[in-house]
Amino acid sequence: MTITSKIIANMRCRWKIDKNLETLLLKRLGTEPSPYAYTEQDLYEQARKIVAQCNSNNADVLLNPPEPDVVWPIDSTKETGG
């Protein structure tokens, strides 16, 4: 899953996201971290972290943008239920 302008528009209901921040989110989260994929929860959490950092710094451009945390997918064949 990747972030889109439509998802960002929905996020604006809860978070302060300007055009510069939208561009940054699309750049950072608009492609999958190959060979892995973001889940919806991963995507929103990474976006939340980026938005929080940008808004706390009151910066239009991040000089050192945060690297997205790559969440390794769980191999469900190795899990044991209980």
Side-chain angles (χ1 to χ4, degrees), residues 9-60:
N10 289 334
M11 290 176 173
R12 282 192 170 109
C13 296
R14 293 179 297 276
W15 302 333
K16 180 183 171 189
I17 301 175
D18 62 12
K19 279 297 194 185
N20 291 334
L21 186 50
E22 178 179 1
T23 301
L24 177 64
L25 289 170
L26 289 170
K27 180 181 174 188
R28 304 289 294 162
L29 303 173
T31 57
E32 296 287 355
S34 184
Y36 306 101
Y38 288 120
T39 64
E40 185 174 4
Q41 182 178 355
D42 295 334
L43 188 67
Y44 276 88
E45 182 61 16
Q46 294 306 314
R48 183 195 64 78
K49 289 178 182 180
I50 293 169
V51 170
Q53 182 179 4
C54 288
N55 288 336
S56 70
N57 290 342
N58 293 326
D60 289 334

